[in-house]
Amino acid sequence: MNSARYAVVGNPIAHSKSPAIHAAFARQTGHDLTYERLLAPLDGFRATVDAFRAAGGQGVNVTLPFKLEAFAYAVRRSERATAAGAINALRFDAVGVFGDNTDGAGLVRDLEANLGVDLRGAEVLLLGAGGAARGVMLPLLGAGVGRLIIANRTVERAEQLAARFTHDGRVGASSFDTVPGAFDIVINATSATLGGEVPPLAPSVYAHCVLAYEMMYGQGETPFLRTAREAGSARQADGLGMLVEQAAESFLLWRGVRPDTAPVLRLLRDAA
Ligand code: NDP
């Protein structure tokens, strides 16, 4: 029998660590599968995924800049994907294409299981209002955080995102320079780090911060993490654990089994 086929679709895609992660999961669980990188032209997401399905592909992960197009591609969606308005995992079933968003579950699992952070009642500041921020809202609220403030460079986008959760009294929106009070956890879901920049927050925001979390990974101590540490944050972490955990959640969606992430995360950290 042929191996089951999976892939990650993006543009660019050459940097993706997902094939190595899924190969390690497959070895660990004894599942016979292949996982490749698919570079889709910027105007060719649908055609690329159609061709992969026609060739027998059973599912894909989706990364920048196609998470919104993946949302439209799915005919059925999980609740957390619907809340996010973005999809990073598609499963091709007999009944059609099912879409999920595993980023938020990946973050929550990294925070709770790998980093040992108690999210219940925690005051959380989420920087950014793009695809990554949207994906983590519902899972953070589901984990029982006490307050969730979204701060974004373009404050209207923070307000729009918060408005999707107006029924939940814990959510608010802010600009960077008017962030209200101090927070237990500050999560950088902006791409400011790409340009060597850091969201301009008052140092008092970090006064009792137990963890500053940079979703981007593999950059060492970024300007955001350094700023947070110097302002009093007790601990700093990057998003490599989130990457591995969202992959495990995708593997569960496709294969019905959750791999053990700890050895795979160790492997990636050692290779870095
Ligand atoms: P988007 O392009 O959708 O959103 C980018 C966000 O960053 C926007 O809120 C934007 O603000 C803000 N931003 C961009 N430049 C700056 C700047 N110079 N200063 C302040 N804010 C800025 O990107 P994503 O949400 O998809 O990704 C965000 C980050 O999360 C990336 O670094 C990505 O690598 C990481 N990520 C990590 C994952 C993991 O598994 N570890 C998974 C998904 C994402 P504005 O609205 O004003 O433009």
Side-chain angles (χ1 to χ4, degrees):
M1 211 176 108
N2 291 337
S3 306
R5 286 183 69 190
Y6 299 91
V8 55
V9 188
N11 185 335
I13 200 61
H15 65 285
S16 175
K17 293 185 192 301
S18 292
I21 295 171
H22 282 279
F25 288 165
R27 275 195 304 276
Q28 184 197 101
T29 57
H31 282 227
D32 180 16
L33 60 85
T34 63
Y35 187 106
E36 57 203 270
R37 293 183 182 88
L38 287 180
L39 176 68
L42 290 175
D43 61 353
F45 172 75
R46 183 169 283 274
T48 302
V49 179
D50 281 347
F52 185 68
R53 270 175 82 192
Q58 296 184 9
V60 291
N61 280 131
V62 180
T63 187
L64 279 174
F66 299 124
K67 290 184 183 179
L68 296 185
E69 283 186 70
F71 188 82
Y73 192 91
V75 294
R76 293 178 303 129
R77 303 175 184 94
S78 66
E79 186 194 356
R80 60 196 183 187
T82 304
I87 275 173
N88 76 325
L90 294 169
R91 187 182 65 204
F92 308 139
D93 296 336
V95 287
V97 178
F98 180 75
D100 198 1
N101 189 313
T102 66
D103 282 337
L107 172 68
V108 166
R109 215 176 157 85
D110 192 34
L111 293 174
E112 292 183 329
N114 299 335
L115 297 167
V117 172
D118 187 0
L119 288 172
R120 287 165 306 169
E123 309 239 309
V124 178
L125 177 63
L126 180 62
L127 307 174
R134 286 159 66 145
V136 303
M137 290 291 298
L138 193 67
L140 283 172
L141 291 168
V145 301
R147 187 161 73 123
L148 181 53
I149 302 297
I150 309 155
N152 195 46
R153 179 178 61 181
T154 311
V155 69
E156 293 78 19
R157 291 187 76 201
E159 287 164 352
Q160 282 160 14
L161 180 54
R164 295 170 73 121
F165 297 88
T166 40
H167 56 283
D168 193 311
R170 295 172 290 171
V171 178
S174 169
S175 60
F176 290 141
D177 55 0
T178 57
V179 165
F183 290 81
D184 303 314
I185 301 168
V186 182
I187 300 169
N188 187 13
T190 75
S191 44
T193 300
L194 274 179
E197 293 179 38
V198 54
L201 304 174
S204 56
V205 164
Y206 300 102
H208 58 69
C209 182
V210 293
L211 179 71
Y213 192 95
E214 173 84 82
M215 272 198 198
M216 188 168 274
Y217 50 84
Q219 306 292 312
E221 190 180 55
T222 63
F224 163 72
L225 294 178
R226 186 173 60 250
T227 302
R229 178 175 55 77
E230 289 173 353
S233 165
R235 270 173 92 190
Q236 287 70 242
D238 77 359
L240 191 64
M242 174 177 171
L243 179 78
V244 174
E245 296 297 344
Q246 67 74 30
E249 196 75 12
S250 301
F251 198 92
L252 174 65
L253 171 75
W254 296 326
R255 310 297 304 174
V257 56
R258 170 188 289 286
D260 180 6
T261 50
V264 179
L265 188 51
R266 260 198 312 274
L267 199 78
L268 290 180
R269 291 248 184 252
D270 289 349

